[in-house]
Amino acid sequence: VQLVESGGGSVQAGGSLSLTCTASGPAYERGCMAWFRQAPGKEREGVAVVEADGTAYHADSVKGRFTVSKDKATLHLQMNSLKPEDSATYYCAVSLICSQIIPNPRPGAMSYWGQETQVTVS
């Protein structure tokens, strides 16, 4: 499975950004896709996860502001009402064992990772 991320960038507080992650390979369709983020000096944390049937879960810190969705091979993260504390390096990932990451995705349970993309909120 290969994951290619796009989007991100810099925005002022209160603004919006979107991230996209496109998957390829034979395995991602059976798994769950998730977004993680890691701020400097902090542990990587799960932001949102989507099951194969489209059921989505969001971390409490982003509920009501972020929306994760999946369209076939593409995972989206729409981020609204951004705050400075949302600034981080964001990653998409796939787990082939959804039971280990639903509803709270764990970095150690993910099988494949995309490259990083930066989000900066000032």
Side-chain angles (χ1 to χ4, degrees), residues 7-119:
S10 298
V11 68
Q12 291 187 337
S16 299
L17 287 171
S18 62
L19 303 179
T20 299
C21 175
T22 301
S24 61
Y28 74 88
E29 294 173 335
R30 304 194 306 271
C32 293
M33 299 182 74
W35 288 103
F36 289 81
R37 67 185 181 185
Q38 187 167 19
K42 295 189 176 181
E43 294 185 353
R44 191 169 299 189
E45 63 173 356
V47 175
V49 58
V50 181
E51 295 187 75
D53 66 357
T55 303
Y57 305 86
H58 299 80
D60 288 343
S61 59
V62 305
K63 278 181 182 176
R65 301 187 299 118
F66 290 15
T67 302
V68 66
S69 61
K70 189 166 75 75
D71 177 17
K72 294 183 180 179
T74 302
L75 183 69
H76 303 275
L77 185 67
Q78 179 63 41
M79 304 180 290
N80 299 326
S81 301
L82 282 160
K83 304 175 181 180
E85 52 263 44
D86 295 318
S87 297
T89 301
Y90 284 70
Y91 304 85
C92 69
V94 168
S95 174
L96 301 181
I97 307 177
C98 292
S99 60
Q100 295 186 355
I101 67 163
I102 298 295
N104 300 307
R106 300 181 293 110
M110 308 309 291
S111 304
Y112 304 96
W113 291 89
Q115 86 283 7
E116 59 188 51
T117 188
Q118 190 67 34
V119 171

